[in-house]
Amino acid sequence: RVKRRSDLALFGGSPAFDPAIHVGRPNIGDRQAFDRLVREALDRRWLTNDGPLVRELERRIGEQLGVEHCVAVCNGTIGLEILFHALGLAGEVLVPSYTFIATAHALLRCGIKPIFVDIDPATHNIDPKAARARASSRTSGIVAVHLWGRPVPVRELQDLAGELGVPLVFDAAHAFGCTFEGRSIGNFGAAEVLSFHATKFFNTLEGGAVVTNDAALARELRLLRNFGFSGYDNTMSLGTNGKMNEVCAAMGLVNLDALPAFIGRNRQIHQQYVEAFAQIPGVNVLRYDENERNNYQYVVVELDERFPVGRDRVVEALHAEGILARKYFWPGCHRMMPYREIYPGEGAHLPVTEAVSERVLVLPTGTSLPDGAVGLQADIFRVLSE
Ligand code: T4K
């Protein structure tokens, strides 16, 4: 137990967690089933390039989300890049700055200027009014991010995209298994991009998918993830190597079977955090809309002025305890390289992003979190606040 300041590792106590607990510790399904699938793939000697396990995973994800086309890729970042390329985005694209850097990098790597849009302080998601204010005749698309798996205001953004006559796409890296108005994320806009990175609620080691109900777009994405090849010796477009391999697909198939268990555990832990932290003034655990389906993968804590210790000092104290909390997505893409150098002055448009990113921290969850971990963390916050 941590009861007084001298118990804190920062002040000489022993760390509360040894080994340390991590944000983004992978959820892993049935290992024997995984071993079997990998053995079979090795026996088949078909390891990548649209193999049978990848096809099966695509079919099952499409079915799960109720989306017609699922194009599996080697990671979410490449998924974003091939989608931007397929849609012919160019010039400027509206995108939040408060996101993982991959969202912005994928744009810039396609030669597109990200126009950073501020967020709603209550949800941390892109603010449609701010998006409207930053739109111009150079805007060729809108990339919205369902941050923390919580859906963005889809309707308002659809209206804006319609008025501008540009495609709306979603970085749904956090939102596998989540819904908007009861419908699975994956069904909105021109397409949505999922990440299946190890740290995601559902993982394929590394991986991702672009999901869409547009058959022509799906066809183009399939070409683009395989160098543009159509049959042997013939390329149709400027593709890349975005293919998912069979071992990753095996992990995906096994983890799909375990999704209800993953969600159940995440939900239970999230609820424990909400309850345990409710009594500590200034520590606010972001809530999920219980009318939607959520994956509860991010335990996001926002510190307000009632908490007497600054966010960075809190993170330092937590790391000393073996709680490897993260400051996602500080400081905002616009304050990271190369954006702060090539687009200086963006901060003037992004006061909410800058403020929120200074007070958020993300805590560990997932199937590997030891029992009692939440209560112990609450004790640490309580002692820190005294
Ligand atoms: N869009 C958004 C909104 C995203 O959040 C992401 C990825 C993308 C696009 C791009 O999708 P991908 O191309 O990655 O598929 C991590 C992940 O690498 C990244 O996928 C994720 N977002 C981001 C939010 O988190 P880092 O730089 O924080 O990773 P790292 O190495 O610090 O690991 C995070 C934590 O996970 C650590 O506490 C350690 C733990 N961990 C990690 C791995 C890989 C494990 O416990 N086991 C593991 O195997 O980016």
Side-chain angles (χ1 to χ4, degrees):
R1 293 299 302 257
V2 174
K3 289 190 176 144
R4 56 188 74 81
R5 280 182 96 70
S6 57
D7 293 333
L8 293 174
L10 208 53
F11 303 117
S14 46
F17 294 91
D18 184 15
I21 54 172
H22 292 258
V23 171
R25 210 67 167 154
N27 291 322
I28 301 174
D30 183 335
R31 291 178 190 212
Q32 281 179 353
F34 174 69
D35 290 348
R36 185 174 47 74
L37 287 176
V38 171
R39 247 194 334 269
E40 287 169 7
L42 298 181
D43 289 344
R44 263 194 304 275
R45 291 183 186 261
W46 195 276
L47 304 183
T48 182
N49 291 26
D50 211 14
L53 296 181
V54 167
R55 286 184 179 213
E56 173 68 1
L57 182 69
E58 290 181 335
R59 190 190 61 72
R60 285 194 53 197
I61 288 173
E63 197 177 81
Q64 172 110 11
L65 303 182
V67 180
E68 280 176 44
H69 308 281
C70 171
V71 181
V73 286
C74 56
N75 59 60
T77 308
I78 287 285
L80 290 168
E81 287 188 25
I82 63 171
L83 177 61
F84 300 158
H85 187 86
L87 292 171
L89 302 190
E92 297 183 351
V93 162
L94 303 174
V95 64
S97 171
Y98 194 56
T99 177
F100 188 59
I101 197 69
T103 323
H105 276 0
L107 287 166
L108 197 58
R109 292 178 63 81
C110 289
I112 300 161
K113 178 177 181 181
I115 298 294
F116 292 119
V117 174
D118 216 352
I119 52 170
D120 177 336
T123 65
H124 301 176
N125 271 327
I126 188 168
D127 174 356
K129 283 195 212 69
R132 183 177 291 275
R134 301 224 64 196
S136 78
S137 57
R138 295 179 299 279
T139 306
S140 71
I142 303 174
V143 178
V145 183
H146 302 296
L147 205 80
W148 317 131
R150 304 199 304 179
V152 298
V154 172
R155 307 261 165 245
E156 287 91 327
L157 292 170
Q158 256 162 357
D159 290 347
L160 178 60
E163 282 171 41
L164 296 170
V166 301
L168 168 65
V169 298
F170 298 97
D171 176 339
H174 299 178
F176 187 74
C178 305
T179 58
F180 170 72
E181 296 181 352
R183 193 169 179 215
S184 285
I185 296 292
N187 283 283
F188 300 98
E192 304 208 46
V193 179
L194 303 161
S195 166
F196 306 146
H197 182 257
T199 56
K200 296 294 187 285
F201 150 72
F202 165 77
N203 86 85
T204 62
L205 307 170
E206 287 271 6
V210 190
V211 288
T212 178
N213 290 311
D214 179 335
L217 179 59
R219 256 195 317 277
E220 180 62 17
L221 291 166
R222 286 185 187 286
L223 288 178
L224 288 173
R225 77 165 174 192
N226 187 28
F227 310 101
F229 272 118
S230 168
Y232 293 142
D233 313 321
N234 179 43
T235 57
M236 306 287 283
S237 49
L238 178 60
T240 184
N241 183 353
K243 289 167 275 125
M244 179 182 277
N245 67 59
E246 291 288 274
V247 176
C248 290
M251 185 69 162
L253 287 168
V254 162
N255 285 341
L256 265 189
D257 288 336
L259 278 192
F262 295 166
I263 295 196
R265 182 70 178 136
N266 269 6
R267 184 161 191 265
Q268 184 189 38
I269 292 170
H270 187 264
Q271 191 54 36
Q272 288 173 4
Y273 273 113
V274 168
E275 284 166 18
F277 284 44
Q279 311 308 324
I280 310 173
V283 182
N284 309 289
V285 179
L286 246 70
R287 309 292 286 266
Y288 292 91
D289 179 352
E290 294 298 332
N291 295 315
E292 302 286 1
R293 211 155 16 86
N294 306 292
N295 62 31
Y296 303 93
Q297 178 68 358
Y298 291 95
V299 177
V300 181
V301 166
E302 207 170 324
L303 299 176
D304 68 34
E305 58 290 340
R306 292 172 298 163
F307 200 74
V309 185
R311 190 273 313 265
D312 288 359
R313 183 70 171 156
V314 171
V315 169
E316 197 186 331
L318 295 176
H319 280 221
E321 300 293 348
I323 305 162
L324 301 184
R326 299 298 298 261
K327 299 195 283 186
Y328 291 142
F329 287 102
W330 179 81
C333 296
H334 70 290
R335 292 195 284 183
M336 294 175 88
M337 285 297 278
Y339 308 95
R340 69 164 185 259
E341 199 166 280
I342 55 182
Y343 307 125
E346 281 296 295
H349 300 285
L350 303 164
V352 183
T353 299
E354 296 202 346
V356 165
S357 77
E358 302 291 339
R359 51 180 192 243
V360 162
L361 57 97
V362 176
L363 295 175
T365 186
T367 49
S368 66
L369 197 72
D371 288 338
V374 174
L376 192 46
Q377 289 177 82
D379 288 346
I380 290 165
F381 272 85
R382 208 172 288 112
V383 171
L384 269 173
S385 73
E386 284 163 7

